Amino acid sequence: MGVRAVSRTRSFGVVVGSYLLALTVAYAVVVLAPPSWHPLVTAFVADLVATFLIFALSMVVDNASLYDPYWSVAPPLVAGWWVVVADGGDRVRQVVVLLLITVWAVRLTGNWAYGWGGLHQVDWRYTHLRATRGRVPWWLVNLGGIQLMPTLVVFLGLLSVWPALAGSRPFGVLDVVATAVTAGAIALEAVADLQLHRFAAAVGNRGRIMATGVWRRTRHPNYLGEIAFWWGLWLFGVAAAPSWWWTLVGPVGMVVLFKAASIPLMDRRSLDRRSGYADHMREVPALLPRLR
């Protein structure tokens, strides 16, 4: 059966089945991992194996967007397992961190599901990569650029979650700051996506530039919220175990990903599709709002 003949309901069935299979394979890695492996190593290997499986299935259905929910599905599963195997750790911090990651994951996955039409729909960025890849095989672009790279970046972001869950320092002032940053980031993403959906749903807004609400202060408030979320998790890690400060490679990696890849692609597309967007770029900053 061709991909275009699959209904939206059956498409989601394929997604759920694929991710259950990936979860099963990842769990097998956890069970079979040598006892000498650190939980970070075990989670990383399981994460890679699950990613390779989703990649293989995305090639079978000829839709790289099968990977899209992986970004938000994997973190709460990894964090949940780390809570189980952590030797010690402050219980209050564990509950707060796991709750925030779960809320973030459910909201972000739900936002993806809301906008995904089914297996016939492929993210426009993937279509662009496929058309401009030159002589590079599509399977290599799909694996490296679309699936493996985000998995690695997200895992870098999760590095600080391990000390946050296993660190012995009691819940303190820095944890309160981390909670505010992380919860605020989730709220910003939710508001930005809600405002964008409402704007896009209005027929009269077709071809217009989104420049109201939080989108009036920053061109990419959803990206700003996503970056702030990972910085918030890093603050939890530092609060629990200051010696793990080096895990800031995670949130820094997020900044690099969005500044070097996601934002330029979105801006370039908007420049091609919306008149006046060049002026909009000069007036509204990409991420951090101006003080005035």
Side-chain angles (χ1 to χ4, degrees), residues 68-80:
D68 286 352
Y70 196 96
W71 179 285
S72 53
V73 169
L77 298 177
V78 174

Side-chain angles (χ1 to χ4, degrees), residues 185 188-189 192 195 214-216 218-226 286-287:
L188 175 59
E189 282 191 277
Q195 291 179 350
V214 295
W215 297 82
R216 179 170 168 264
T218 166
R219 297 200 306 274
H220 306 282
N222 48 348
Y223 292 166
L224 176 59
E226 186 67 15
L287 283 176

Side-chain angles (χ1 to χ4, degrees), residues 3-288:
V3 169
R4 294 184 181 280
V6 180
S7 67
R8 190 169 188 263
T9 301
R10 293 188 64 183
S11 295
F12 278 109
V14 171
V15 172
V16 172
S18 299
Y19 278 76
L20 287 176
L21 182 59
L23 177 60
T24 301
V25 173
Y27 180 71
V29 172
V30 171
V31 172
L32 298 175
S36 60
W37 281 10
H38 189 280
L40 281 174
V41 176
T42 303
F44 180 60
V45 174
D47 200 9
L48 287 180
V49 171
T51 297
F52 276 104
L53 178 60
I54 294 298
F55 156 72
L57 295 174
S58 75
M59 293 297 293
V60 171
V61 300
D62 193 25
N63 191 326
S65 284
L66 186 68
Y67 175 84
D68 286 352
Y70 196 96
W71 179 285
S72 53
V73 169
L77 298 177
V78 174
W81 179 67
W82 279 343
V83 168
V84 173
V85 300
D87 185 14
D90 182 84
R91 182 58 62 182
V92 174
R93 184 183 296 108
Q94 288 179 340
V95 171
V96 172
V97 170
L98 193 57
L99 178 62
L100 287 170
I101 292 177
T102 301
V103 171
W104 165 84
V106 171
R107 194 214 66 81
L108 195 56
T109 306
N111 186 66
W112 165 81
Y114 175 82
W116 192 56
L119 286 173
H120 65 277
Q121 180 179 333
V122 181
D123 190 294
W124 65 268
R125 291 166 293 190
Y126 308 160
T127 303
H128 174 75
L129 283 173
R130 192 165 191 169
T132 59
R133 72 184 191 279
R135 296 184 178 181
V136 182
W138 167 240
W139 70 266
L140 186 58
V141 175
N142 185 12
L143 174 62
I146 296 176
Q147 307 200 30
L148 191 56
M149 185 269 292
T151 289
L152 296 176
V153 172
V154 169
F155 194 83
L156 285 178
L158 286 172
L159 287 177
S160 60
V161 174
W162 168 253
L165 299 174
S168 58
R169 286 198 171 193
F171 194 91
V173 175
L174 187 54
D175 291 287
V176 175
V177 175
T179 302
V181 172
T182 310
I186 296 172
L188 175 59
E189 282 191 277
V191 170
D193 286 336
L194 179 60
Q195 291 179 350
L196 182 60
H197 289 317
R198 289 177 175 174
F199 183 86
V203 178
N205 289 330
R206 290 180 181 175
R208 295 180 59 193
I209 299 170
M210 178 62 175
T212 57
V214 295
W215 297 82
R216 179 170 168 264
R217 297 295 182 182
T218 166
R219 297 200 306 274
H220 306 282
N222 48 348
Y223 292 166
L224 176 59
E226 186 67 15
I227 292 171
F229 171 79
W230 295 100
W231 278 105
L233 294 182
W234 177 74
L235 289 175
F236 277 117
V238 173
S243 62
W244 285 70
W245 62 268
W246 56 268
T247 56
L248 62 83
V249 297
V252 168
M254 289 291 171
V255 174
V256 173
L257 174 65
F258 284 103
K259 287 287 290 182
S262 301
I263 291 176
L265 276 173
M266 292 297 294
D267 283 342
R268 194 175 304 122
R269 187 177 192 235
S270 295
L271 282 170
D272 294 337
R273 300 179 64 192
R274 293 175 173 83
S275 61
Y277 194 79
D279 293 332
H280 180 68
M281 289 179 64
R282 285 189 288 269
E283 296 170 1
V284 182
L287 283 176
L288 295 178

